[in-house]
Amino acid sequence: MLKLFAFSMVLILLAAACLAADQPATDDVIWDQVSIKLTGDPVAKGGAFKVEVHQGVVTLTGPAESEQQKDRAGKLAKKVKGVKQVINNITVAKSGK
């Protein structure tokens, strides 16, 4: 009887986890995840980028040192679960050479 109860509880917990995983990410969660990815990436170095999220659409703004840094930031944002679209408005600083 105890084994049946334990097995039932495991099934209920697994079902709840599966249902929770199907829920769409909120804008706040997406903002957190995008910010973490940008800040932690050695290429993007995204601490200076502004991240805005509205209904799963991420808008990135701010200055970048290179086109590679801008592209990397956009790619990282697209990888976050729940992101529907990325609008990459990051500007690349012109070199003084």
Side-chain angles (χ1 to χ4, degrees):
M1 181 74 165
L2 187 58
K3 287 183 181 180
L4 180 61
F5 177 75
F7 182 72
S8 298
M9 292 304 294
V10 169
L11 285 178
I12 290 171
L13 288 173
L14 285 174
C18 289
L19 290 174
D22 290 341
Q23 297 297 319
T26 65
D27 286 347
D28 290 337
V29 170
I30 292 171
W31 185 91
D32 287 341
Q33 294 302 310
V34 170
S35 297
I36 289 168
K37 282 188 177 285
L38 292 177
T39 303
D41 188 79
V43 175
K45 303 178 210 168
F49 299 140
K50 182 177 178 186
V51 178
E52 294 180 4
V53 184
H54 181 68
Q55 295 182 345
V57 177
V58 175
T59 302
L60 302 174
T61 55
E65 297 170 3
S66 67
E67 197 67 37
Q68 180 187 18
Q69 188 181 27
K70 175 183 177 176
D71 293 343
R72 178 73 176 162
K75 288 177 184 175
L76 288 170
K78 286 179 186 173
K79 289 182 180 180
V80 171
K81 181 180 177 187
V83 172
K84 297 175 183 173
Q85 179 184 0
V86 174
I87 300 170
N88 192 340
N89 290 335
I90 295 172
T91 55
V92 178
K94 299 189 188 305
S95 66
K97 294 180 182 178

